[in-house]
Amino acid sequence: LLVLHHIATDGWSAPVLARDLTEAYAARQAGNAPAWSELPVQYSDYTLWQREVLGSEDDPDSPASRQLAHWKQALAELPEELALPTDRPRPAAASHRGDAVPFHLPAELHAGLARLAGENRASLFMVVQAAWATLLSRLGAGEDIPVGTPIAGRTDEALDDLVGFFVNTLVLRTDLSGNPAFTELVDRVRETSLAAHAHQDVPFERLVEVLNPTRSLARHPLFQTMLMWNNNDDRVAAEAAGGFSGLTAQTLPLGTRAAKYDLTLALKEAYAEDGTAAGLHGHLEFAADLFDRSTAESFVERFTRVLRTVVAAPGTPVADVDVMAPVERERLLSEWNDSGRDVPDATLARLFADRVAVSPEACALVFGDLAYSYGELNARANRLAHWLIEQGAGPERLVAVVLPRSPDLLVALLAVLKSGAGYVPVDPEFPEERIAHILEDAAPVLTLTGELLGGLDLSAYGFKDPAPAGVSGGNTAYVIYTSGSTGRPKGVSVSQGALVNFLTAMQDRFALTGGDRFVAVTTVGFDIAGLELFLPLLHGARVVLAPRDVVRDPVALVSLVRACGATLMQATPSLWQAMSEAGGVPEGLRVLVGGEALPASLARALAGGGRAVTNLYGPTETTIWSTAAEVTASGDVTIGGPIANTRLYVLDSGLRPVPVGVAGELYIAGAGLARGYHRRSGLSAERFVADPYGAAGTRMYRTGDLVRRTSAGDLEYIGRTDFQVKVRGFRIELGEIENAVLGHPDVGRAAVVVREDAPGDKRIVAYV
């Protein structure tokens, strides 16, 4: 057993050592000492020569200085870390546990790659490097792909027969910007590789010291993937074959179950006796901290697909190289979007009237000590609706509702819908400037305020359901205002049909009955209030409208939930956390979470105690919620799959589907799409775009959110596409900062911002 530390030998040395060993064995077997020829140089000679040739870095004209200058320029602004589609978050410190997936590329593909290399004045290694970079880019790693590769470092023939450590590591940077054809990418790789080889003498460790990237125990500096070209195994075997008289010698791979890098692609060529290509043998080593074996196997399959594509069509733009099999594409676009279901062809007002007819005496609304039956609530809303129609309310007209949390608020919303008009909900506690802008922009025919309603005598108006003409599912149900691309609130116009589709989907999931009590806590200025107020009223359940002072006091809210026997409640993770700390969330309560990312620790806490927990996600532009996921006590959090009649696409910048596990931007299509932005056709056209995967004429909404698919088809939320979170011990400040400083137009006035000790460099950590 011969054991060597890597500091004393390298891959080139292996066949040299095998030759020396077989010569020594043969000599000893014959009773002689091995008669080796004296080598022209020793390893110590090489080290002195290297120092002499490179010269001092203090000398600007020395080779060392010139080579360092090259690398400083070549690796300027190198990505700190490749965004690889990992199965798990990167740990704080790498364990270096790993495994490898062996594979074989057939002779015909080997020959095609060799032909492609020859036609483009490149080596086979360069073609493979370009293909590997293409794969990593298509898997979400971006357009700037650094790859490490070992180089023999034996630049003089006198070193060929010397056992020692000469190998160095080069960083080969691949530029995929501008979506070049694959052949153009090979040209770029060739130029970069030749320049790297011409400046190969600077030790990698010294290069790291000089470039001084952000160091981390979690990842390798400068690159996280390596490409290795192994031609030594066959040379070792050739030296050993027949060299041990009476023995059979062969090389055996030794699996170390270790991984130095996130991914290492190793390949070696095989040739037939006549010199023709016989295939490429390889393995993909992967870090077990980050990847499952099945994921590594999928990388191999995708890499093979990339190679076949570029051999068949070398002029293909790299962004168009498809890394997915047809069955995977079908699953992404169709199977996981199979959410069709029938929806009532009726407005919300009609559905509510039908429910009233079923159980007029049942309790519909509770507010403090006040309680209203379905019949009473309906009669009050009908009288107000008749008055609204008299004032000019009707289809495609808007009525603003500026009312505090009270029964009158729900009466007013129902009345507006019964009149055929759309409501514009405005929280009276909004800043005066915001309220003024909303009312000016919406241009309602009427604004309902507490003062106005308090002075009305509606006794002369009928209590039966009005029947306004021309009302359909395509009419506006409400216009709700959110922040806009200029920082000013923008109105999102949602149709009757989209609202009914959403409520139908929620009933499919939550199955409310007359015994349910839904505690409503959300301000009417937030669209998710529509779920709390309307879903119970369509199914005979009870709305428990929490007063504003109770909503603001977690202890009081917990008390209300217990006292009323609540069965469902919807809130943000922040509010659920506050309730958990203020007496606990009652066991048996159906918990609906949305509006913010759900922390795993809170998910585990909520899912205990017999509570069913649903995590919900959806932008205002797609009608309240578009996805739903059941949360288990494991704490694994996703935003799930589509609700009824909804399609979810995870796309790259070219609107192409990305594979499972790869981050992409979420686009939402289907019945829940809003009509657009009120009186802002240009912005509507920018965000509501043609759906290339749906029926002709259909649209999809660009959310601006980064997500990725799990192997089960659920979506994992990552964050926004337009800014990144960076925190490195900065001082945190809270305050009002202009949008121009924030650098993101959709951010509101209040934000948490980090600032470095040096002035001028500000980064967003989170925003409200």
Side-chain angles (χ1 to χ4, degrees), residues 424-495:
V424 182
V426 181
D427 190 325
E429 295 192 13
F430 280 166
E432 292 184 5
E433 179 185 358
R434 180 178 175 88
I435 293 176
H437 169 75
I438 291 175
L439 295 180
E440 178 184 2
D441 187 72
V445 297
L446 190 69
T447 298
L448 295 178
T449 64
E451 183 179 2
L452 175 62
L453 290 182
L456 286 180
D457 180 6
L458 299 175
S459 60
Y461 292 87
F463 61 84
K464 292 187 177 181
D465 294 313
V471 179
S472 71
N475 292 134
T476 299
Y478 62 80
V479 173
I480 199 161
Y481 277 77
T482 181
S483 59
S485 61
T486 63
R488 302 283 286 173
K490 60 183 185 293
V492 179
S493 179
V494 174
S495 70

Side-chain angles (χ1 to χ4, degrees), residues 689-706:
V689 298
D691 179 1
Y693 307 107
T698 57
R699 303 172 303 151
M700 60 182 183
Y701 174 70
R702 180 183 181 185
T703 67
D705 287 329
L706 278 177

Side-chain angles (χ1 to χ4, degrees), residues 541-621:
R542 184 178 305 181
V543 177
V544 180
L545 186 61
R548 177 56 57 89
D549 59 339
V550 172
V551 174
R552 291 175 170 173
D553 182 353
V555 174
L557 184 55
V558 170
S559 178
L560 172 64
V561 170
R562 294 185 186 279
C564 74
T567 57
L568 292 92
M569 185 177 135
Q570 169 185 254
T572 62
S574 299
L575 184 52
W576 284 119
Q577 183 66 48
M579 291 177 63
S580 297
E581 297 170 355
V585 178
E587 294 185 1
L589 180 68
R590 182 74 190 238
V591 173
L592 282 59
V593 190
E596 302 166 6
L598 175 60
S601 58
L602 180 59
R604 287 191 292 269
L606 290 174
R611 288 180 290 266
V613 180
T614 305
N615 192 34
L616 298 156
Y617 162 88
T620 303
E621 290 84 350

Side-chain angles (χ1 to χ4, degrees), residues 385-406:
H386 286 294
W387 181 81
L388 288 173
I389 293 171
E390 188 177 271
Q391 305 306 309
E396 297 312 308
R397 294 188 176 184
L398 299 177
V399 175
V401 178
V402 191
L403 294 171
R405 296 180 70 80
S406 69

Side-chain angles (χ1 to χ4, degrees), residues 325-474:
V327 65
E328 183 180 3
R329 176 181 292 272
E330 175 69 17
R331 186 164 59 246
L332 290 171
L333 295 177
S334 300
E335 181 180 333
W336 285 340
N337 280 324
D338 185 13
S339 60
R341 75 94 79 200
D342 293 333
V343 174
D345 183 16
T347 63
L348 185 146
R350 180 69 264 159
L351 295 174
F352 176 63
D354 292 344
R355 171 49 57 182
V356 172
V358 172
S359 53
E361 302 303 322
C363 183
L365 173 65
V366 173
F367 180 76
D369 295 332
L370 301 176
Y372 297 85
S373 70
Y374 273 82
E376 291 170 329
L377 183 63
N378 190 52
R380 293 186 64 186
N382 284 342
R383 287 191 171 97
L384 181 56
H386 286 294
W387 181 81
L388 288 173
I389 293 171
E390 188 177 271
Q391 305 306 309
E396 297 312 308
R397 294 188 176 184
L398 299 177
V399 175
V401 178
V402 191
L403 294 171
R405 296 180 70 80
S406 69
D408 284 344
L409 173 61
L410 187 50
V411 168
L413 298 179
L414 288 171
V416 173
L417 292 173
K418 285 172 172 287
S419 75
Y423 64 83
V424 182
V426 181
D427 190 325
E429 295 192 13
F430 280 166
E432 292 184 5
E433 179 185 358
R434 180 178 175 88
I435 293 176
H437 169 75
I438 291 175
L439 295 180
E440 178 184 2
D441 187 72
V445 297
L446 190 69
T447 298
L448 295 178
T449 64
E451 183 179 2
L452 175 62
L453 290 182
L456 286 180
D457 180 6
L458 299 175
S459 60
Y461 292 87
F463 61 84
K464 292 187 177 181
D465 294 313
V471 179
S472 71

Side-chain angles (χ1 to χ4, degrees), residues 649-668:
Y649 305 130
V650 186
L651 309 178
D652 64 14
S653 58
L655 301 185
R656 294 170 289 256
V658 300
V660 167
V662 177
E665 186 171 356
L666 175 60
Y667 288 76
I668 301 177

